[in-house]
Amino acid sequence: MEQRVSLITLGVPDMEQAEAFYTALGWQPVDSPDGVVAFDLISQTLGLYPLDKLAEDIGLPVAELGSGAMTLSHNTRTPKEVDTLMARAQAAGAEILRPASEVFWGGYIGYFRAPDGHIWEVAHNPFAKLSAEGAFRWNGY
């Protein structure tokens, strides 16, 4: 298996609400089959899929999927961009879980919960600068 993630699929209870939220953050959906919303990212795609259909595809009841203990992270080039994105997420309907602030390791982060329940971290890591196209590598480029 190659060291990459090609597609991140979020099971969401309300497709229209989820699409509207991510569009309000500034993302643009791409052409997709009916019942799927996809946003192309740098070298990956974020897909939104009805939670009940995802459970059916996996072969588990919806109740067994839960929400999992994970976060999705979006890194920025500056701490100011973290503040801007946190405000934009809140205006789009996100719940701020941790307002943006400095952290012990020298970065600047905040957390929000999207209306679909998924938790996002918005972070500036001065030790892992983004490439010109916005690609992230743990130790920078």
Side-chain angles (χ1 to χ4, degrees):
M1 181 176 191
E2 295 177 29
Q3 277 188 210
R4 63 180 161 78
V5 175
S6 302
L7 174 66
I8 300 165
T9 301
L10 303 180
V12 298
D14 185 328
M15 291 288 287
E16 288 181 16
Q17 179 189 45
E19 181 178 7
F21 176 75
Y22 291 104
T23 301
L25 291 181
W27 292 11
Q28 299 299 311
V30 295
D31 288 336
S32 302
D34 285 344
V36 177
V37 176
F39 299 92
D40 278 338
L41 311 175
I42 297 168
S43 77
Q44 308 178 323
T45 297
L46 177 75
L48 305 177
Y49 197 56
L51 183 58
D52 59 333
K53 296 292 185 191
L54 182 60
E56 182 181 315
D57 283 353
I58 296 169
L60 291 172
V62 172
E64 262 190 66
L65 290 183
S67 59
M70 76 165 220
T71 61
L72 299 165
S73 295
H74 177 85
N75 279 53
T76 65
R77 289 175 178 80
T78 67
K80 182 169 177 38
E81 287 177 277
V82 174
D83 292 332
T84 300
L85 285 173
M86 292 292 290
R88 191 170 192 172
Q90 187 172 30
E95 172 191 2
I96 302 302
L97 301 174
R98 175 184 176 165
S101 62
E102 293 180 359
V103 289
F104 72 94
W105 50 266
Y108 188 76
I109 67 169
Y111 285 94
F112 68 81
R113 184 187 336 255
D116 56 34
H118 293 94
I119 297 175
W120 284 83
E121 173 192 37
V122 182
H124 170 68
N125 182 338
F127 309 108
K129 298 193 185 310
L130 301 178
S131 73
E133 8 355 279
F136 173 81
R137 295 279 303 206
W138 184 253
N139 290 316
Y141 278 89

